[in-house]
Amino acid sequence: MKILLLILSLLATSAMANNARSIMLEADKRDKGKTLLAKYSMEINKGSKIKQRDLLWWRLDKSPKVYNLIKIQAPKKLKNTGLLILTNKDGEDKTWLYLSAAAKKIPRKIATNKKDSKFLGSDFYYADFEEVGVDEFNHKYLGEAKVKNWECDKIESLPKDQTYVYERVISYIDKKSKVIVKSELFKEKTKIKTFEVLSMKLDSKIWTITDSIMTSHKKNSFTKLTLLKNRYNTNLLIDFFSQESLIRDF
């Protein structure tokens, strides 16, 4: 009887893991548009100090490779500062930072062990902009949960690479849109940050996040991203996502 119970328990665990992976794959493969051109407002709140950033964001999906380019438009002292992220969900990710005010006008590659550094003083790490492959984690189904008005599946993900920025991620995936509407991010057994979707809309038949917030629990600060305007499926080429574009003034 004990052997039978053990076998049934193992089978149930395996089924839950497969179900969790399937849900994460649905979230990963949901329609996000082949290309995106967007303008965002970024508000960094640190107690009484509030900093404002305006940025342009380009994205191209050539699965399993995804290309992102972010360029700061305001304030003036940061204008043209940018981030270039080349993500390969089946391989190595590469990220470059260009600081327009730096003495040397060259992009600087972000080392793997530095990807938990903050992007321009915000609560977003460089790693938060990378699009990590589903199979780079082991997933476990934790049940159902409600986040705001969204009915969600709750998934725990543990990275297979022990050098990954976070040691554990708990995701809440809206059953209808397949959007990850909340992520709890852990390091050293402590929840250090929470990402939350505040609002989203259906745009060109694509579920689009319009307001989101990243909260740092250790620093008691948060960064809000607000979508100002966007266009999907424009004519963007891979060649655009280059270090030449990263240093170009837009």
Side-chain angles (χ1 to χ4, degrees), residues 7 26 41-42 68 79 81 95 114 124 170 181 186 212 218 230 239:
I7 292 172
E26 286 182 328
S41 170
M42 176 185 278
N68 284 278
K79 182 172 172 55
T81 290
T95 301
K114 297 294 183 182
F124 288 91
I170 296 179
V181 294
F186 293 78
S212 60
K218 282 189 173 182
N230 67 288
D239 291 346

Side-chain angles (χ1 to χ4, degrees), residues 8 26 39 78-79 86-87 127 167 180 193 198 223 238:
L8 290 174
E26 286 182 328
K39 184 175 182 179
L78 292 175
K79 182 172 172 55
L86 308 182
T87 299
E167 66 184 24
I180 299 175
K193 297 198 300 182
L198 302 178
T223 298
I238 291 176

